[in-house]
Amino acid sequence: MKYKHIVWDWNGTLLNDAEACAKAMSMILEKRNLGTVTTEDYRSQIEFPAIKMYEETGFQFENESFDDLSEEYIINYKNLFDSIKLHDDTLEVLQNFKKQGMIQHIVSASGLEILKKQVELYKLNEYFTHIFGQENNRGDSKVHLALKLLKYLDCNPKDVLFIGDTAHDYEVATKTGFDCRLVSNGHSSREKLEKTGALIYSNLTELYKDIAS
């Protein structure tokens, strides 16, 4: 393989939680009589920073802060933990990349506390050298985290492949100089991903086979 490092997005890419995220958001909207969102609605609307997505659904931050809203979202999300699993091929693909000698990391828009808790829950710590998440639960841009990781790696950005499931992942890769490949079975619809011009795969197995061939 031409890469030395694999940088993973977490939510939607390795963790199959798009439906749970849509439900957590829908609970917030329904509570405020703003309707609901289906998983497919969510996948077609997702934006980073996340505040943009709420604004597009009609939410106005005049009477409550986005920070408070973000904490409510996390409470809803945690209550759905039992329904969340890894994608079926996550473990196998992580193992295959490890066998190929790839050094693997995570850069996520998720809060670091919940991110580390989930990685430990699914017993995946052994696969990652660095795990970077946000200091809060706002779902902000993670470009700064990828740049921070790059300093730690001290390598040519082209030796790094960023694998994600949203247009923001492509943005992160572009701004850091990483190569990027995306999967369409996560948080974003394939139609939304196609606008990036990145290579898109139906799942991680398909992606791995293409890289390893």
Side-chain angles (χ1 to χ4, degrees), residues 21-62:
C21 290
K23 286 182 179 179
M25 180 179 179
S26 196
M27 290 163 68
I28 288 174
L29 297 175
E30 189 171 18
K31 181 179 177 180
R32 293 160 176 82
N33 297 315
L34 292 172
T36 59
V37 292
T38 65
T39 302
E40 288 311 306
D41 290 336
Y42 171 83
R43 295 181 75 244
S44 66
Q45 294 170 1
I46 188 167
E47 297 284 349
F48 289 93
I51 190 171
K52 292 182 179 179
M53 184 166 54
Y54 283 96
E55 289 172 340
E56 289 179 3
T57 61
F59 205 97
Q60 297 180 353
F61 298 98
E62 297 175 351

mmCIF file of all heavy atoms in Angstrom, residues 21-62:
data_model
loop_
_atom_site.group_PDB
_atom_site.id
_atom_site.type_symbol
_atom_site.label_atom_id
_atom_site.label_comp_id
_atom_site.label_asym_id
_atom_site.label_seq_id
_atom_site.Cartn_x
_atom_site.Cartn_y
_atom_site.Cartn_z
ATOM 1 N N CYS A 21 -28.568 8.896 15.613
ATOM 2 C CA CYS A 21 -28.360 10.347 15.548
ATOM 3 C C CYS A 21 -29.611 11.050 15.028
ATOM 4 O O CYS A 21 -29.992 12.115 15.523
ATOM 5 C CB CYS A 21 -27.163 10.664 14.659
ATOM 6 S SG CYS A 21 -25.572 10.184 15.367
ATOM 7 N N ALA A 22 -30.237 10.451 14.027
ATOM 8 C CA ALA A 22 -31.471 11.028 13.480
ATOM 9 C C ALA A 22 -32.567 11.039 14.543
ATOM 10 O O ALA A 22 -33.309 12.016 14.687
ATOM 11 C CB ALA A 22 -31.918 10.237 12.253
ATOM 12 N N LYS A 23 -32.679 9.955 15.313
ATOM 13 C CA LYS A 23 -33.695 9.883 16.372
ATOM 14 C C LYS A 23 -33.425 10.906 17.463
ATOM 15 O O LYS A 23 -34.356 11.553 17.969
ATOM 16 C CB LYS A 23 -33.722 8.473 16.959
ATOM 17 C CG LYS A 23 -34.369 7.433 16.058
ATOM 18 C CD LYS A 23 -34.388 6.074 16.738
ATOM 19 C CE LYS A 23 -35.068 5.034 15.845
ATOM 20 N NZ LYS A 23 -35.071 3.678 16.491
ATOM 21 N N ALA A 24 -32.153 11.057 17.832
ATOM 22 C CA ALA A 24 -31.795 12.021 18.882
ATOM 23 C C ALA A 24 -32.142 13.442 18.462
ATOM 24 O O ALA A 24 -32.634 14.242 19.261
ATOM 25 C CB ALA A 24 -30.304 11.905 19.199
ATOM 26 N N MET A 25 -31.898 13.749 17.192
ATOM 27 C CA MET A 25 -32.234 15.070 16.668
ATOM 28 C C MET A 25 -33.743 15.235 16.551
ATOM 29 O O MET A 25 -34.304 16.295 16.877
ATOM 30 C CB MET A 25 -31.577 15.266 15.309
ATOM 31 C CG MET A 25 -31.854 16.609 14.672
ATOM 32 S SD MET A 25 -31.011 16.780 13.069
ATOM 33 C CE MET A 25 -31.572 18.422 12.606
ATOM 34 N N SER A 26 -34.415 14.203 16.101
ATOM 35 C CA SER A 26 -35.858 14.250 15.914
ATOM 36 C C SER A 26 -36.585 14.492 17.236
ATOM 37 O O SER A 26 -37.577 15.222 17.292
ATOM 38 C CB SER A 26 -36.343 12.941 15.284
ATOM 39 O OG SER A 26 -37.635 13.080 14.755
ATOM 40 N N MET A 27 -36.076 13.928 18.300
ATOM 41 C CA MET A 27 -36.662 14.113 19.625
ATOM 42 C C MET A 27 -36.601 15.578 20.048
ATOM 43 O O MET A 27 -37.531 16.104 20.658
ATOM 44 C CB MET A 27 -35.943 13.230 20.643
ATOM 45 C CG MET A 27 -36.225 11.745 20.464
ATOM 46 S SD MET A 27 -35.034 10.674 21.327
ATOM 47 C CE MET A 27 -35.450 11.040 23.029
ATOM 48 N N ILE A 28 -35.498 16.231 19.701
ATOM 49 C CA ILE A 28 -35.340 17.653 20.015
ATOM 50 C C ILE A 28 -36.346 18.492 19.241
ATOM 51 O O ILE A 28 -37.010 19.380 19.794
ATOM 52 C CB ILE A 28 -33.902 18.105 19.688
ATOM 53 C CG1 ILE A 28 -32.922 17.524 20.705
ATOM 54 C CG2 ILE A 28 -33.793 19.630 19.650
ATOM 55 C CD1 ILE A 28 -31.472 17.796 20.385
ATOM 56 N N LEU A 29 -36.474 18.218 17.955
ATOM 57 C CA LEU A 29 -37.378 18.991 17.108
ATOM 58 C C LEU A 29 -38.835 18.767 17.500
ATOM 59 O O LEU A 29 -39.621 19.721 17.584
ATOM 60 C CB LEU A 29 -37.158 18.611 15.641
ATOM 61 C CG LEU A 29 -35.777 18.907 15.065
ATOM 62 C CD1 LEU A 29 -35.669 18.362 13.651
ATOM 63 C CD2 LEU A 29 -35.485 20.402 15.082
ATOM 64 N N GLU A 30 -39.183 17.517 17.741
ATOM 65 C CA GLU A 30 -40.571 17.189 18.081
ATOM 66 C C GLU A 30 -40.977 17.847 19.405
ATOM 67 O O GLU A 30 -42.107 18.325 19.553
ATOM 68 C CB GLU A 30 -40.722 15.674 18.174
ATOM 69 C CG GLU A 30 -42.157 15.216 18.300
ATOM 70 C CD GLU A 30 -42.286 13.713 18.178
ATOM 71 O OE1 GLU A 30 -41.267 13.007 18.338
ATOM 72 O OE2 GLU A 30 -43.403 13.236 17.913
ATOM 73 N N LYS A 31 -40.056 17.910 20.345
ATOM 74 C CA LYS A 31 -40.312 18.533 21.642
ATOM 75 C C LYS A 31 -40.671 20.008 21.489
ATOM 76 O O LYS A 31 -41.414 20.570 22.288
ATOM 77 C CB LYS A 31 -39.076 18.372 22.528
ATOM 78 C CG LYS A 31 -39.200 18.959 23.912
ATOM 79 C CD LYS A 31 -37.919 18.709 24.697
ATOM 80 C CE LYS A 31 -37.964 19.343 26.069
ATOM 81 N NZ LYS A 31 -36.707 19.102 26.837
ATOM 82 N N ARG A 32 -40.154 20.623 20.405
ATOM 83 C CA ARG A 32 -40.376 22.052 20.174
ATOM 84 C C ARG A 32 -41.370 22.310 19.041
ATOM 85 O O ARG A 32 -41.407 23.396 18.464
ATOM 86 C CB ARG A 32 -39.034 22.721 19.877
ATOM 87 C CG ARG A 32 -38.112 22.709 21.100
ATOM 88 C CD ARG A 32 -36.657 22.919 20.726
ATOM 89 N NE ARG A 32 -35.826 22.990 21.924
ATOM 90 C CZ ARG A 32 -35.385 21.924 22.593
ATOM 91 N NH1 ARG A 32 -35.719 20.706 22.179
ATOM 92 N NH2 ARG A 32 -34.635 22.071 23.668
ATOM 93 N N ASN A 33 -42.136 21.272 18.700
ATOM 94 C CA ASN A 33 -43.158 21.369 17.648
ATOM 95 C C ASN A 33 -42.572 21.792 16.303
ATOM 96 O O ASN A 33 -43.189 22.544 15.546
ATOM 97 C CB ASN A 33 -44.266 22.349 18.070
ATOM 98 C CG ASN A 33 -45.007 21.878 19.302
ATOM 99 O OD1 ASN A 33 -45.371 20.710 19.406
ATOM 100 N ND2 ASN A 33 -45.215 22.783 20.246
ATOM 101 N N LEU A 34 -41.378 21.275 16.013
ATOM 102 C CA LEU A 34 -40.728 21.564 14.735
ATOM 103 C C LEU A 34 -40.724 20.350 13.813
ATOM 104 O O LEU A 34 -39.960 20.287 12.858
ATOM 105 C CB LEU A 34 -39.285 22.042 14.973
ATOM 106 C CG LEU A 34 -39.147 23.417 15.649
ATOM 107 C CD1 LEU A 34 -37.691 23.690 16.002
ATOM 108 C CD2 LEU A 34 -39.688 24.507 14.742
ATOM 109 N N GLY A 35 -41.585 19.385 14.127
ATOM 110 C CA GLY A 35 -41.677 18.209 13.274
ATOM 111 C C GLY A 35 -40.657 17.155 13.667
ATOM 112 O O GLY A 35 -40.098 17.181 14.769
ATOM 113 N N THR A 36 -40.401 16.239 12.763
ATOM 114 C CA THR A 36 -39.426 15.172 12.996
ATOM 115 C C THR A 36 -38.569 15.002 11.746
ATOM 116 O O THR A 36 -38.872 15.573 10.691
ATOM 117 C CB THR A 36 -40.125 13.833 13.294
ATOM 118 O OG1 THR A 36 -40.966 13.486 12.176
ATOM 119 C CG2 THR A 36 -40.969 13.916 14.559
ATOM 120 N N VAL A 37 -37.491 14.227 11.891
ATOM 121 C CA VAL A 37 -36.669 13.889 10.729
ATOM 122 C C VAL A 37 -36.493 12.379 10.669
ATOM 123 O O VAL A 37 -36.312 11.725 11.697
ATOM 124 C CB VAL A 37 -35.271 14.561 10.785
ATOM 125 C CG1 VAL A 37 -35.380 16.055 10.619
ATOM 126 C CG2 VAL A 37 -34.534 14.217 12.066
ATOM 127 N N THR A 38 -36.594 11.830 9.493
ATOM 128 C CA THR A 38 -36.295 10.416 9.297
ATOM 129 C C THR A 38 -34.791 10.261 9.138
ATOM 130 O O THR A 38 -34.056 11.253 8.993
ATOM 131 C CB THR A 38 -36.991 9.878 8.043
ATOM 132 O OG1 THR A 38 -36.421 10.540 6.889
ATOM 133 C CG2 THR A 38 -38.488 10.141 8.095
ATOM 134 N N THR A 39 -34.328 9.031 9.133
ATOM 135 C CA THR A 39 -32.893 8.790 8.925
ATOM 136 C C THR A 39 -32.458 9.303 7.563
ATOM 137 O O THR A 39 -31.383 9.907 7.425
ATOM 138 C CB THR A 39 -32.580 7.289 9.042
ATOM 139 O OG1 THR A 39 -33.000 6.817 10.328
ATOM 140 C CG2 THR A 39 -31.088 7.033 8.885
ATOM 141 N N GLU A 40 -33.292 9.117 6.559
ATOM 142 C CA GLU A 40 -32.931 9.595 5.216
ATOM 143 C C GLU A 40 -32.951 11.119 5.144
ATOM 144 O O GLU A 40 -32.125 11.723 4.448
ATOM 145 C CB GLU A 40 -33.880 8.988 4.170
ATOM 146 C CG GLU A 40 -33.633 7.502 3.932
ATOM 147 C CD GLU A 40 -32.166 7.181 3.684
ATOM 148 O OE1 GLU A 40 -31.566 7.798 2.773
ATOM 149 O OE2 GLU A 40 -31.608 6.324 4.397
ATOM 150 N N ASP A 41 -33.876 11.749 5.859
ATOM 151 C CA ASP A 41 -33.862 13.220 5.951
ATOM 152 C C ASP A 41 -32.530 13.677 6.533
ATOM 153 O O ASP A 41 -31.875 14.590 6.006
ATOM 154 C CB ASP A 41 -34.989 13.717 6.866
ATOM 155 C CG ASP A 41 -36.372 13.549 6.274
ATOM 156 O OD1 ASP A 41 -36.479 13.494 5.025
ATOM 157 O OD2 ASP A 41 -37.334 13.463 7.049
ATOM 158 N N TYR A 42 -32.158 13.045 7.628
ATOM 159 C CA TYR A 42 -30.920 13.390 8.320
ATOM 160 C C TYR A 42 -29.718 13.217 7.392
ATOM 161 O O TYR A 42 -28.839 14.081 7.319
ATOM 162 C CB TYR A 42 -30.782 12.503 9.558
ATOM 163 C CG TYR A 42 -29.448 12.600 10.268
ATOM 164 C CD1 TYR A 42 -29.202 13.620 11.178
ATOM 165 C CD2 TYR A 42 -28.454 11.660 10.027
ATOM 166 C CE1 TYR A 42 -27.984 13.699 11.836
ATOM 167 C CE2 TYR A 42 -27.240 11.731 10.676
ATOM 168 C CZ TYR A 42 -27.004 12.754 11.586
ATOM 169 O OH TYR A 42 -25.784 12.825 12.219
ATOM 170 N N ARG A 43 -29.679 12.105 6.663
ATOM 171 C CA ARG A 43 -28.543 11.808 5.788
ATOM 172 C C ARG A 43 -28.435 12.798 4.622
ATOM 173 O O ARG A 43 -27.362 13.015 4.073
ATOM 174 C CB ARG A 43 -28.631 10.370 5.267
ATOM 175 C CG ARG A 43 -28.492 9.327 6.363
ATOM 176 C CD ARG A 43 -28.570 7.905 5.822
ATOM 177 N NE ARG A 43 -27.326 7.551 5.137
ATOM 178 C CZ ARG A 43 -27.219 7.271 3.861
ATOM 179 N NH1 ARG A 43 -28.293 7.322 3.063
ATOM 180 N NH2 ARG A 43 -26.064 6.954 3.337
ATOM 181 N N SER A 44 -29.542 13.388 4.246
ATOM 182 C CA SER A 44 -29.521 14.365 3.159
ATOM 183 C C SER A 44 -29.252 15.780 3.659
ATOM 184 O O SER A 44 -28.906 16.668 2.882
ATOM 185 C CB SER A 44 -30.840 14.335 2.380
ATOM 186 O OG SER A 44 -31.907 14.779 3.198
ATOM 187 N N GLN A 45 -29.398 15.998 4.980
ATOM 188 C CA GLN A 45 -29.284 17.340 5.546
ATOM 189 C C GLN A 45 -28.006 17.580 6.332
ATOM 190 O O GLN A 45 -27.664 18.729 6.586
ATOM 191 C CB GLN A 45 -30.480 17.609 6.482
ATOM 192 C CG GLN A 45 -31.821 17.661 5.788
ATOM 193 C CD GLN A 45 -32.972 17.690 6.776
ATOM 194 O OE1 GLN A 45 -32.781 17.680 7.991
ATOM 195 N NE2 GLN A 45 -34.189 17.705 6.250
ATOM 196 N N ILE A 46 -27.297 16.536 6.742
ATOM 197 C CA ILE A 46 -26.198 16.682 7.678
ATOM 198 C C ILE A 46 -25.170 17.718 7.220
ATOM 199 O O ILE A 46 -24.794 17.774 6.045
ATOM 200 C CB ILE A 46 -25.505 15.326 7.942
ATOM 201 C CG1 ILE A 46 -24.478 15.475 9.073
ATOM 202 C CG2 ILE A 46 -24.885 14.766 6.678
ATOM 203 C CD1 ILE A 46 -23.972 14.161 9.601
ATOM 204 N N GLU A 47 -24.782 18.561 8.176
ATOM 205 C CA GLU A 47 -23.803 19.618 7.915
ATOM 206 C C GLU A 47 -22.888 19.749 9.134
ATOM 207 O O GLU A 47 -23.240 19.378 10.243
ATOM 208 C CB GLU A 47 -24.505 20.973 7.694
ATOM 209 C CG GLU A 47 -25.421 21.036 6.487
ATOM 210 C CD GLU A 47 -24.672 21.161 5.174
ATOM 211 O OE1 GLU A 47 -23.442 21.404 5.225
ATOM 212 O OE2 GLU A 47 -25.305 21.018 4.113
ATOM 213 N N PHE A 48 -21.695 20.288 8.876
ATOM 214 C CA PHE A 48 -20.788 20.658 9.970
ATOM 215 C C PHE A 48 -20.301 22.073 9.733
ATOM 216 O O PHE A 48 -19.956 22.400 8.594
ATOM 217 C CB PHE A 48 -19.595 19.694 10.041
ATOM 218 C CG PHE A 48 -19.962 18.323 10.523
ATOM 219 C CD1 PHE A 48 -20.291 17.326 9.623
ATOM 220 C CD2 PHE A 48 -19.985 18.043 11.871
ATOM 221 C CE1 PHE A 48 -20.637 16.060 10.060
ATOM 222 C CE2 PHE A 48 -20.334 16.777 12.326
ATOM 223 C CZ PHE A 48 -20.662 15.788 11.416
ATOM 224 N N PRO A 49 -20.293 22.898 10.771
ATOM 225 C CA PRO A 49 -20.728 22.596 12.133
ATOM 226 C C PRO A 49 -22.218 22.273 12.196
ATOM 227 O O PRO A 49 -23.001 22.759 11.381
ATOM 228 C CB PRO A 49 -20.384 23.865 12.910
ATOM 229 C CG PRO A 49 -20.356 24.943 11.886
ATOM 230 C CD PRO A 49 -19.851 24.295 10.624
ATOM 231 N N ALA A 50 -22.604 21.466 13.178
ATOM 232 C CA ALA A 50 -23.967 20.932 13.265
ATOM 233 C C ALA A 50 -25.026 22.009 13.422
ATOM 234 O O ALA A 50 -26.183 21.794 13.060
ATOM 235 C CB ALA A 50 -24.059 19.942 14.430
ATOM 236 N N ILE A 51 -24.645 23.168 13.929
ATOM 237 C CA ILE A 51 -25.614 24.241 14.126
ATOM 238 C C ILE A 51 -26.308 24.613 12.810
ATOM 239 O O ILE A 51 -27.482 24.986 12.793
ATOM 240 C CB ILE A 51 -24.951 25.484 14.764
ATOM 241 C CG1 ILE A 51 -26.015 26.501 15.190
ATOM 242 C CG2 ILE A 51 -23.908 26.094 13.824
ATOM 243 C CD1 ILE A 51 -25.448 27.643 16.008
ATOM 244 N N LYS A 52 -25.600 24.468 11.693
ATOM 245 C CA LYS A 52 -26.181 24.776 10.387
ATOM 246 C C LYS A 52 -27.382 23.887 10.096
ATOM 247 O O LYS A 52 -28.379 24.334 9.531
ATOM 248 C CB LYS A 52 -25.134 24.598 9.287
ATOM 249 C CG LYS A 52 -23.998 25.601 9.301
ATOM 250 C CD LYS A 52 -23.063 25.332 8.134
ATOM 251 C CE LYS A 52 -21.919 26.315 8.081
ATOM 252 N NZ LYS A 52 -20.995 26.029 6.952
ATOM 253 N N MET A 53 -27.265 22.623 10.478
ATOM 254 C CA MET A 53 -28.337 21.670 10.198
ATOM 255 C C MET A 53 -29.598 22.023 10.986
ATOM 256 O O MET A 53 -30.712 21.934 10.469
ATOM 257 C CB MET A 53 -27.851 20.256 10.541
ATOM 258 C CG MET A 53 -28.819 19.149 10.215
ATOM 259 S SD MET A 53 -28.038 17.510 10.261
ATOM 260 C CE MET A 53 -27.314 17.505 11.894
ATOM 261 N N TYR A 54 -29.415 22.426 12.235
ATOM 262 C CA TYR A 54 -30.569 22.817 13.045
ATOM 263 C C TYR A 54 -31.228 24.075 12.493
ATOM 264 O O TYR A 54 -32.451 24.198 12.457
ATOM 265 C CB TYR A 54 -30.146 23.031 14.494
ATOM 266 C CG TYR A 54 -29.932 21.738 15.245
ATOM 267 C CD1 TYR A 54 -28.660 21.193 15.368
ATOM 268 C CD2 TYR A 54 -31.001 21.050 15.806
ATOM 269 C CE1 TYR A 54 -28.454 20.000 16.050
ATOM 270 C CE2 TYR A 54 -30.812 19.859 16.495
ATOM 271 C CZ TYR A 54 -29.532 19.342 16.608
ATOM 272 O OH TYR A 54 -29.343 18.156 17.269
ATOM 273 N N GLU A 55 -30.413 25.013 12.054
ATOM 274 C CA GLU A 55 -30.953 26.249 11.488
ATOM 275 C C GLU A 55 -31.775 25.956 10.237
ATOM 276 O O GLU A 55 -32.823 26.582 10.007
ATOM 277 C CB GLU A 55 -29.817 27.211 11.168
ATOM 278 C CG GLU A 55 -29.160 27.810 12.409
ATOM 279 C CD GLU A 55 -27.923 28.619 12.105
ATOM 280 O OE1 GLU A 55 -27.338 28.422 11.010
ATOM 281 O OE2 GLU A 55 -27.520 29.427 12.947
ATOM 282 N N GLU A 56 -31.328 24.990 9.447
ATOM 283 C CA GLU A 56 -32.048 24.644 8.222
ATOM 284 C C GLU A 56 -33.378 23.947 8.509
ATOM 285 O O GLU A 56 -34.271 23.942 7.664
ATOM 286 C CB GLU A 56 -31.169 23.769 7.333
ATOM 287 C CG GLU A 56 -30.003 24.529 6.710
ATOM 288 C CD GLU A 56 -29.126 23.645 5.852
ATOM 289 O OE1 GLU A 56 -29.459 22.443 5.704
ATOM 290 O OE2 GLU A 56 -28.118 24.148 5.330
ATOM 291 N N THR A 57 -33.518 23.349 9.687
ATOM 292 C CA THR A 57 -34.790 22.709 10.045
ATOM 293 C C THR A 57 -35.769 23.708 10.655
ATOM 294 O O THR A 57 -36.897 23.336 10.995
ATOM 295 C CB THR A 57 -34.570 21.562 11.060
ATOM 296 O OG1 THR A 57 -33.998 22.094 12.257
ATOM 297 C CG2 THR A 57 -33.665 20.491 10.487
ATOM 298 N N GLY A 58 -35.347 24.959 10.816
ATOM 299 C CA GLY A 58 -36.230 25.994 11.338
ATOM 300 C C GLY A 58 -35.955 26.395 12.768
ATOM 301 O O GLY A 58 -36.668 27.230 13.342
ATOM 302 N N PHE A 59 -34.907 25.827 13.368
ATOM 303 C CA PHE A 59 -34.606 26.149 14.753
ATOM 304 C C PHE A 59 -34.010 27.552 14.858
ATOM 305 O O PHE A 59 -33.126 27.924 14.099
ATOM 306 C CB PHE A 59 -33.618 25.129 15.319
ATOM 307 C CG PHE A 59 -33.694 25.008 16.806
ATOM 308 C CD1 PHE A 59 -34.435 23.996 17.391
ATOM 309 C CD2 PHE A 59 -33.055 25.905 17.625
ATOM 310 C CE1 PHE A 59 -34.515 23.871 18.763
ATOM 311 C CE2 PHE A 59 -33.123 25.806 19.005
ATOM 312 C CZ PHE A 59 -33.854 24.784 19.578
ATOM 313 N N GLN A 60 -34.485 28.310 15.829
ATOM 314 C CA GLN A 60 -33.974 29.664 16.070
ATOM 315 C C GLN A 60 -33.415 29.744 17.485
ATOM 316 O O GLN A 60 -34.096 29.378 18.449
ATOM 317 C CB GLN A 60 -35.083 30.694 15.871
ATOM 318 C CG GLN A 60 -35.619 30.723 14.441
ATOM 319 C CD GLN A 60 -36.719 31.748 14.256
ATOM 320 O OE1 GLN A 60 -37.184 32.360 15.216
ATOM 321 N NE2 GLN A 60 -37.135 31.940 13.015
ATOM 322 N N PHE A 61 -32.187 30.231 17.592
ATOM 323 C CA PHE A 61 -31.516 30.254 18.891
ATOM 324 C C PHE A 61 -31.701 31.607 19.584
ATOM 325 O O PHE A 61 -30.752 32.332 19.848
ATOM 326 C CB PHE A 61 -30.034 29.921 18.697
ATOM 327 C CG PHE A 61 -29.822 28.547 18.134
ATOM 328 C CD1 PHE A 61 -29.603 28.366 16.776
ATOM 329 C CD2 PHE A 61 -29.897 27.434 18.948
ATOM 330 C CE1 PHE A 61 -29.428 27.100 16.249
ATOM 331 C CE2 PHE A 61 -29.731 26.162 18.437
ATOM 332 C CZ PHE A 61 -29.505 25.987 17.090
ATOM 333 N N GLU A 62 -32.953 31.910 19.877
ATOM 334 C CA GLU A 62 -33.263 33.167 20.546
ATOM 335 C C GLU A 62 -33.543 32.960 22.032
ATOM 336 O O GLU A 62 -33.207 33.819 22.858
ATOM 337 C CB GLU A 62 -34.478 33.827 19.886
ATOM 338 C CG GLU A 62 -34.236 34.209 18.429
ATOM 339 C CD GLU A 62 -35.486 34.742 17.754
ATOM 340 O OE1 GLU A 62 -36.568 34.646 18.383
ATOM 341 O OE2 GLU A 62 -35.383 35.231 16.621
#
